[in-house]
Amino acid sequence: MKPFIRTAAAAAVLALSAAGAQAANVLVVLSDASRLELRDQRSYDTGFYANELMQPVKKLLDAGHTITFATPLGKAPSVDRNSLDASLFGGEVAMKEHIALLDKLKLTSVSASPVVSLARVEQGGYAQFDAVYIPGGHAPMQDLIRSPAVGRLLSYFHNAAKPTALVCHGPAALVATLDQPEAFVAKLEAGGATPAKGWIYAGYRMTVISNAEEEAGKGYLNGGVMKLTPQTALERAGGKYSSGPNWAAHTVADRELITGQNPASAVAVADLLLARLPATALSSTK
């Protein structure tokens, strides 16, 4: 084959490869809450954990995928100030890079946030999304865990067997798929509730921030006590829970579900999610 023909053929193959590389549309669901109600009328200022959101978001964007951000009510989410810790990102340089991207996306801007409501997502149709990701921070314990809108969304992804990834406190949102999540959560917060029946994730292997980690990190609550821990919620709902050592990365994948235990698990969860998405022209060159 002559050099010109060989070069043209190679270019054609590359063009076909790029044309066949379909970017995925990933829905990232965050909490509207900026405070978590604790026992005895106390509360804790919270939001999403910065690394749990931005490490997976950056990986998805760098791979060429599209992201839509949503909260139940469409409010700009809040970042938990305790998560602005370089150790969670692997150093100051990495943290600055990820926070710069967060600022560029304007997610927390009250006037310019691109976040949409779950009602708008539902109106447009869940089928447009190839995967869903829910990060932690304590905020999901305030609203996502009991949100009927979150329940409908996750039920669609379950029935369609589409990748469903969650990390740290994020997996607590899976409880929202129960028939009456608000009543179930209320009973658990009151110290009662019999094991749930008919949960779509019953028998799934999963993880979430452990009760041991909640105990170790209770100083962040400034003397307050959570009404309910995520581990207890998932176990009572019917999940097969497992955990690793405190603050060490631990992930569990079972069918469409990908869960990570704590902030250190965010990167591994992102990698497991990316492995289930189609390779794009960008990701295939990395």
Side-chain angles (χ1 to χ4, degrees):
M1 184 182 294
K2 294 183 179 179
F4 174 78
I5 298 175
R6 186 184 301 114
T7 301
V13 170
L14 181 60
L16 286 171
S17 298
Q22 181 67 43
N25 189 9
V26 180
L27 179 64
V28 173
V29 178
L30 298 153
S31 168
D32 288 303
S34 59
R35 305 189 80 183
L36 173 66
E37 295 176 4
L38 305 173
R39 295 194 182 279
D40 301 321
Q41 285 73 55
R42 303 186 70 167
S43 64
Y44 166 66
D45 290 339
T46 187
F48 62 83
Y49 247 48
N51 80 295
E52 294 173 19
L53 173 65
M54 295 313 301
Q55 286 173 324
V57 162
K58 187 175 187 303
K59 277 180 166 285
L60 288 166
L61 292 176
D62 286 349
H65 298 299
T66 299
I67 298 178
T68 298
F69 298 93
T71 67
L73 301 178
K75 295 181 179 179
S78 300
V79 62
D80 189 314
R81 307 308 297 182
N82 289 317
S83 70
L84 300 178
D85 182 337
S87 67
L88 297 174
F89 292 88
E92 289 284 349
V93 173
M95 184 177 81
K96 289 180 180 179
E97 184 178 18
H98 286 84
I99 298 304
L101 177 58
L102 174 62
D103 292 340
K104 181 179 179 181
L105 294 172
K106 300 181 179 181
L107 290 180
T108 60
S109 170
V110 174
S111 60
S113 179
V115 169
V116 298
S117 69
L118 287 183
R120 184 173 171 185
V121 169
E122 188 171 12
Q123 183 180 34
Y126 300 137
Q128 64 184 300
F129 299 105
D130 302 294
V132 62
Y133 174 65
I134 301 180
H138 285 80
M141 297 298 294
Q142 184 65 35
D143 58 357
L144 302 190
I145 191 173
R146 69 192 84 214
S147 167
V150 171
R152 291 192 296 273
L153 169 74
L154 291 177
S155 293
Y156 164 80
F157 278 86
H158 168 76
N159 292 330
K162 290 186 175 183
T164 301
L166 317 90
V167 73
C168 202
H169 290 80
L174 299 171
V175 173
T177 60
L178 288 169
D179 286 340
Q180 296 181 309
E182 293 179 89
F184 179 76
V185 171
K187 288 180 180 178
L188 282 178
E189 290 179 339
T194 57
K197 295 182 179 180
W199 192 38
I200 61 176
Y201 299 108
Y204 272 62
R205 294 179 295 107
M206 61 185 65
T207 190
V208 70
I209 188 168
S210 68
N211 286 346
E213 286 168 320
E214 293 285 17
E215 178 65 22
K218 66 182 181 181
Y220 285 117
L221 302 182
N222 300 315
V225 178
M226 292 178 67
K227 295 180 179 180
L228 171 67
T229 61
Q231 178 183 335
T232 298
L234 293 186
E235 288 178 329
R236 296 303 292 274
K240 291 185 176 180
Y241 178 79
S242 71
S243 64
N246 283 7
W247 316 121
H250 175 68
T251 60
V252 177
D254 189 352
R255 286 157 280 189
E256 81 277 7
L257 192 62
I258 302 167
T259 52
Q261 180 177 327
N262 48 35
S265 308
V267 170
V269 167
D271 289 339
L272 288 171
L273 175 57
L274 281 165
R276 299 192 184 192
L277 300 178
T280 66
L282 287 175
S283 62
S284 63
T285 60
K286 293 185 180 296

